[in-house]
Amino acid sequence: GFSGLAVAADGTRLIAVSDHGLRLEAKILYTPEGRLAGLASADLGSLSDEQGRSLRSAAERDAEAIAVGPAGEIIVAFERDHRLLRYLPGQLVPERIPAPEELATAPANGGIEGLTFLKDGRLLAIAEELIQGGSAVGWISDAAGWSPLTYALDDGFVVTDLATLPEGDVLVLERRYTMRIGVAARVRRIQAGSIAPGAELAGELIAELRPPLVLDNMEGISARRDPGSGRTLIYMISDDNFNPLQRTLLLMFELME
């Protein structure tokens, strides 16, 4: 059920959050050639609420997106009970941060799915099913709160996550499911300079995954620059919906400029 993913800048560890309010932390293993090999030293535990208790009900534990700040703070976006919680390093109890006003009108299962810190420290968020004129509603934070913007959708795809590239552009992970074709995923790139309050964002398509390629319900994305090779590496994780016919996949790609 993993829906949000964050990989450390040095690529050694990951954090993922689950629709059941769980948090996975693990060491990432690589082959000598630098290919993704697996996970080790994994720890799976419950996210806590504002009283320090484990999240319990389905309405409060549906974590869908994660963003890690430069100081180690972790922002988690939840659906059903739409809210944003900030977890500070070394502290069990999170604090609620103000959410965009329009989020209150989002469908229960269609709130913030994409969340990322921009290079300048602002937050960018995009909802899955809060639609305006064929575009997904999103927001960018500033000192005064949140300002709305939109992100263009097409071909039946919806936003499932965001990741900020080292130079500041943003990758948007999108997903589509149809009975005829099955599941598909694609990645589009938003130029950093276009992200502003009131903007109508439209990403450039850089990758698309369809059967028979390896994929499932891809819902989490993270990006980093490998200091040794200089490669830009993109990680994706799938949400198996707790369905035995689906898989939890962790994939790694190199972004070719």
Side-chain angles (χ1 to χ4, degrees), residues 123-141:
L123 279 168
L124 174 66
I126 299 179
E128 180 183 12
E129 294 183 13
L130 187 58
I131 309 299
Q132 176 181 304
S135 296
V137 175
W139 304 268
I140 188 168
S141 68

Side-chain angles (χ1 to χ4, degrees), residues 66-96:
I66 183 173
V68 180
E73 63 176 320
I74 297 175
I75 311 295
V76 180
F78 294 84
E79 286 186 334
R80 303 185 193 278
D81 177 7
H82 298 303
R83 66 199 190 282
L84 295 167
L85 295 183
R86 175 191 284 124
Y87 296 83
L88 297 174
Q91 296 188 21
L92 175 65
V93 180
E95 60 180 0
R96 185 176 297 223

